[in-house]
Amino acid sequence: MPQRHVVQMSTSHATYGVCVLGTEVFLDTRRSTPKDATSFDVHATSAVTVHIIHSPMTKPMINSRWPLDPDTEVVVTIDVTSRTVNDNKVKISYYGREDNELSVAWLYLTCVDISLDVDLSRNGRVKSKGKDKAKWTWGPDGQGAVLLVNCDRDSPGAWQMDSTQVDIRTTADLQDMSVMLLRTQGPSAIFDDYQVVLHVPESDADKVRVFHAIWNDSHLQYKPVLGPDKLSYVLDHVGSGENTFYVEGLAFPDVGFSGLISFSVSLLEIHHKYSLGTPIFTDTVVFRVAPWIMTPNTQQPLEVFVCRVKPHAGLLPSTFKEEEWATQLTNCKLTICSEVETRSDRWIQDELEFGYVEAPHKTFPVVFDSPRNRGLKDFAFKKILGPDFGYVTREPPGKVACSLDSFGNLDVSPPVTVRGKEYPLGRILIGSPLPWASGRRMSKAVRDFLYAQKVQAPVEVYSEWLTVGHVDEFLTFVPAYDRKGFRLLLACPNACYTLFKEKQRQGHGEATLLVGLKGSDRRSIDDILADESLKNDNKHVQRCIDWNRDLLKQELGLSEQDIIDIPQLFILKGSRADALFPDMVNMLVLGRHLGIPKPFGPVVGGQCCLEQRVRALLEPLGLTCTFIDDYFSYHVLSGDVHCGTNVRRKPFAFKWWHMVP
């Protein structure tokens, strides 16, 4: 509840004060009431509106006077700003029992207008006089401004993010900031005895920085006025006009920080030149820091990243030339990272995840750098961070990263509706142990960050049963024209056994897996079906995948018709599983074009039966399947196509602030 503006009245001398347009001023008459007074009346000049607040039992007298009552209050408002100092007058007259006027209290008021304004309606424009500016609400009818973390690098010659700089080195940096306007109106002379102060709560100050745009010798300068080391800023030379401030975010939502940041402007009455002053009016606005948002496979691909590796030319099949890659895969931009840049680390999916941040006035991509920190550990910061391309990372304090900290263990579903609850930006999937079990787990710092973004409520699935332990080893999403607009693909040992049994019944039991691959463990269909140990391994794997299947049906609102089983076998090494042949769900999804690890399955009738089955499952959805030989470049090193690629995708058209988390 805002503090009331109270003015002490006096019958011994006139009282002078300031009020803000449209606000209430409570007149304290208790100290000024003469001892023998029994009633009073109030008169004011035309711009002043007088309100008498009284109990239901108190009634005005016949002569428009009011009986003196301890519960009666006099409140005045002014709805026109003053042209000169003290141009509004209020007169309170006190009367005795004989209706004689005992004394008079005079009040001279100067009305000013002060308003702190932001893009309250989230349409890219700053309007004045919004209602409930101190509240931030979600939904299409919600209100409240949006603030971007200034995590890109616009400044020429800089090597850090712009948010680390305490000054503005290029006007391009202003586009990453949100505008806040301070509008004031009233006689300039009145501000000799009053201060206008912009301030931020101490709890928010380390998460934001504010710059004041000031003309100096016909040039605009941007003075840092609020931030981690400064909680308040007193404005000089205040009069009728507009002051422009640029606000940059310094921190994403995280543990202990909801993302909400408030700013206030206060009008202070100065009683002494060394005093801090007393606030008589405060106006507050609230920003929410834009969350980091992941993009699912169903979003349009914009750029593909792949690392050059030896001895093969990356994962590029012999039928492709590197310069044709973008054309073959839906006209994406192709970025091939050199071995020098990657320090011979090929697993670019594990190192980073592309997302974006959005405000009504600006959207730009932001790369999330994992705490994996192998050969690619500096790649995102040194090679991707730049103008309008942001960077964020989270490092677990004092903890060595495990395999589950890699971002092959991080995915996001397409938009879903679950039991009537809409997730228009999808839900993040994190690979973890079973909820009640110990084991390897993605670091708390990363998980806390993902949960704190709010708009893609995470689901933790069971991936720790795998040797590498990543979600992309057993699931992915592909676009579809019908139903929900996508299908969930799950690796499925049962589907593979069903296919191999079918081929065995057709007389193809001698057809062999992994033919033509030097040093590979070739097995015929007959051998695979007769291997009881392998069969038991895959029964265990199937139970693990089925546990996830049920969880995802519940948490993503899926039915069996939304899921496609991709034939795949695994083999246990110790207590954890690896793919027996290239893992086909570990695919690259670029629009309706799929780059699928070539499984080198048993050849029947001149065709790989695994490829043939996958085509039959996916091509009716309008998808094109290209099988890529990644056996020696990725698979034998415990990864496949998805592990060795990464995709920057188009942001959602849906505005995150329109949802209700």
Side-chain angles (χ1 to χ4, degrees):
M1 184 176 179
Q3 185 177 4
R4 302 203 313 178
H5 179 195
V6 180
V7 174
Q8 302 286 344
M9 301 295 290
S10 173
T11 55
S12 61
H13 57 80
T15 302
Y16 299 88
V18 167
C19 70
V20 176
L21 188 73
T23 62
E24 295 180 333
V25 180
F26 291 78
L27 307 188
D28 185 350
T29 61
R30 290 173 178 81
R31 299 180 187 180
S32 63
T33 303
K35 180 180 179 181
D36 297 327
T38 59
S39 62
F40 72 96
D41 61 18
V42 184
H43 296 278
T45 49
S46 60
V48 182
T49 301
V50 178
H51 309 269
I52 306 296
I53 301 174
H54 57 89
S55 70
M57 303 302 295
T58 303
K59 305 293 182 182
M61 301 166 66
I62 296 175
N63 53 9
S64 297
R65 297 174 189 166
W66 288 86
L68 283 169
D69 185 295
D71 295 327
T72 300
E73 291 186 301
V74 180
V75 181
V76 298
T77 59
I78 303 177
D79 293 320
V80 179
T81 54
S82 295
R83 293 187 176 183
T84 59
V85 175
N86 301 327
D87 60 353
N88 298 286
K89 301 175 185 178
V90 179
K91 175 187 176 185
I92 300 180
S93 300
Y94 296 96
Y95 301 91
R97 295 184 182 278
E98 306 299 326
D99 289 341
N100 56 315
E101 185 178 80
L102 300 178
S103 59
V104 173
W106 284 96
L107 170 63
Y108 294 84
L109 280 173
T110 305
C111 182
V112 299
D113 190 16
I114 299 176
S115 181
L116 190 61
D117 296 306
V118 293
D119 180 11
L120 192 67
S121 58
R122 305 193 279 245
N123 60 8
R125 298 186 297 274
V126 178
K127 294 183 178 179
S128 61
K129 296 299 180 184
K131 294 182 179 179
D132 297 323
K133 291 188 289 184
K135 295 181 180 179
W136 201 100
T137 53
W138 296 88
D141 299 320
Q143 68 168 29
V146 175
L147 186 62
L148 295 173
V149 176
N150 193 11
C151 59
D152 67 343
R153 184 167 58 202
D154 291 316
S155 302
W159 64 279
Q160 287 282 3
M161 293 179 288
D162 292 335
S163 59
T164 64
Q165 301 167 0
V166 296
D167 57 353
I168 294 176
R169 302 180 184 180
T170 171
T171 54
D173 205 20
L174 299 175
Q175 300 302 312
D176 301 335
M177 303 183 190
S178 295
V179 174
M180 181 167 64
L181 298 180
L182 173 60
R183 296 179 168 107
T184 54
Q185 188 176 354
S188 299
I190 197 66
F191 294 104
D192 292 341
D193 297 320
Y194 293 84
Q195 284 184 344
V196 177
V197 181
L198 187 68
H199 49 100
V200 61
E202 184 177 10
S203 60
D204 296 347
D206 61 339
K207 303 170 183 70
V208 73
R209 190 175 286 116
V210 179
F211 299 89
H212 187 189
I214 302 173
W215 285 100
N216 188 0
D217 295 331
S218 74
H219 289 87
L220 267 177
Q221 294 183 337
Y222 302 95
K223 178 182 178 182
V225 295
L226 295 179
D229 56 351
K230 192 167 178 60
L231 303 183
S232 63
Y233 172 58
V234 179
L235 280 87
D236 297 326
H237 312 298
V238 178
S240 293
E242 190 172 272
N243 283 271
T244 301
F245 298 88
Y246 290 91
V247 187
E248 69 170 346
L250 305 181
F252 281 97
D254 212 326
V255 171
F257 175 44
S258 68
L260 294 176
I261 295 175
S262 65
F263 295 96
S264 299
V265 62
S266 292
L267 181 65
L268 304 185
E269 185 175 9
I270 305 302
H271 306 286
H272 186 277
K273 66 178 181 178
Y274 298 115
S275 72
L276 296 177
T278 304
I280 63 173
F281 170 79
T282 297
D283 196 19
T284 299
V285 297
V286 177
F287 288 89
R288 182 178 289 277
V289 175
W292 179 78
I293 301 173
M294 289 179 66
T295 50
N297 286 348
T298 48
Q299 290 300 109
Q300 177 186 338
L302 300 176
E303 184 175 6
V304 179
F305 289 77
V306 62
C307 300
R308 189 183 301 279
V309 294
K310 292 179 179 179
H312 299 274
L315 59 81
L316 305 181
S318 59
T319 55
F320 286 178
K321 294 181 180 178
E322 288 178 356
E323 62 268 20
E324 294 175 347
W325 179 263
T327 302
Q328 292 288 341
L329 299 182
T330 66
N331 295 313
C332 292
K333 177 183 177 183
L334 173 65
T335 297
I336 299 177
C337 313
S338 72
E339 280 195 277
V340 173
E341 292 173 328
T342 65
R343 297 192 298 175
S344 300
D345 181 3
R346 66 196 72 200
W347 308 119
I348 194 166
Q349 179 64 52
D350 288 342
E351 182 61 37
L352 52 91
E353 186 70 47
F354 289 106
Y356 69 95
V357 293
E358 181 178 23
H361 67 281
K362 181 73 176 284
T363 301
F364 61 84
V366 175
V367 60
F368 187 9
D369 194 0
S370 81
R372 168 179 175 267
N373 292 344
R374 287 166 61 178
L376 280 159
K377 69 175 184 176
D378 297 324
F379 180 78
F381 190 84
K382 290 183 176 180
K383 298 298 181 180
I384 297 178
L385 171 64
D388 288 340
F389 211 128
Y391 173 91
V392 65
T393 190
R394 287 294 181 271
E395 294 286 341
K399 174 181 177 293
V400 177
C402 74
S403 177
L404 272 66
D405 284 310
S406 298
F407 285 171
N409 194 34
L410 181 63
D411 206 340
V412 64
S413 79
V416 292
T417 300
V418 184
R419 296 180 292 277
K421 170 67 175 176
E422 293 183 353
Y423 297 91
L425 302 174
R427 301 191 70 177
I428 288 173
L429 304 182
I430 301 170
S432 296
L434 289 168
W436 57 85
S438 60
R440 298 171 299 169
R441 188 183 296 273
M442 183 179 283
S443 65
K444 185 176 184 297
V446 175
R447 285 185 290 117
D448 285 346
F449 173 84
L450 295 171
Y451 277 94
Q453 306 313 302
K454 287 184 178 292
V455 295
Q456 295 177 303
V459 178
E460 297 197 32
V461 301
Y462 177 34
S463 70
E464 218 256 339
W465 56 272
L466 289 150
T467 300
V468 176
H470 295 178
V471 295
D472 67 354
E473 297 177 80
F474 69 92
L475 68 82
T476 193
F477 299 91
V478 296
Y481 288 120
D482 60 351
R483 298 186 61 77
K484 295 179 173 64
F486 69 90
R487 294 289 192 277
L488 167 65
L489 307 188
L490 290 177
C492 183
N494 284 351
C496 194
Y497 275 107
T498 298
L499 174 63
F500 285 179
K501 288 176 182 178
E502 174 188 315
K503 298 307 175 185
Q504 186 185 57
R505 287 195 301 270
Q506 294 171 356
H508 303 294
E510 294 182 359
T512 303
L513 190 70
L514 304 178
V515 171
L517 298 172
K518 185 178 179 180
S520 64
D521 184 13
R522 302 176 190 177
R523 300 189 187 194
S524 69
I525 289 177
D526 288 339
D527 291 338
I528 290 171
L529 295 179
D531 189 335
E532 290 299 322
S533 175
L534 183 65
K535 191 177 298 182
N536 288 332
D537 288 355
N538 281 279
K539 284 181 179 178
H540 166 72
V541 168
Q542 189 66 62
R543 284 193 292 268
C544 294
I545 294 174
D546 286 346
W547 192 91
N548 286 299
R549 185 191 204 93
D550 292 340
L551 175 70
L552 292 169
K553 286 168 68 175
Q554 179 180 344
E555 296 296 336
L556 300 183
L558 305 180
S559 67
E560 281 297 319
Q561 290 73 33
D562 300 313
I563 302 172
I564 295 176
D565 292 316
I566 300 299
Q568 185 68 47
L569 293 182
F570 294 81
I571 186 169
L572 290 186
K573 295 182 179 179
S575 61
R576 297 190 175 110
D578 291 325
L580 182 65
F581 50 84
D583 189 351
M584 290 186 287
V585 297
N586 194 262
M587 65 179 67
L588 177 62
V589 181
L590 298 176
R592 311 202 74 79
H593 189 108
L594 310 180
I596 305 172
K598 186 175 180 64
F600 293 96
V603 175
V604 175
Q607 295 187 40
C608 169
C609 66
L610 288 169
E611 291 185 20
Q612 189 177 32
R613 179 55 55 91
V614 169
R615 289 185 192 276
L617 291 169
L618 300 181
E619 288 182 350
L621 300 176
L623 302 171
T624 300
C625 301
T626 300
F627 290 90
I628 298 171
D629 177 3
D630 74 342
Y631 190 83
F632 291 109
S633 54
Y634 291 157
H635 177 70
V636 297
L637 300 174
S638 301
D640 279 297
V641 171
H642 186 259
C643 303
T645 58
N646 215 314
V647 183
R648 178 172 63 89
R649 300 181 184 275
K650 186 177 181 179
F652 285 98
F654 182 87
K655 306 302 181 187
W656 61 265
W657 51 85
H658 285 167
M659 71 176 294
V660 179

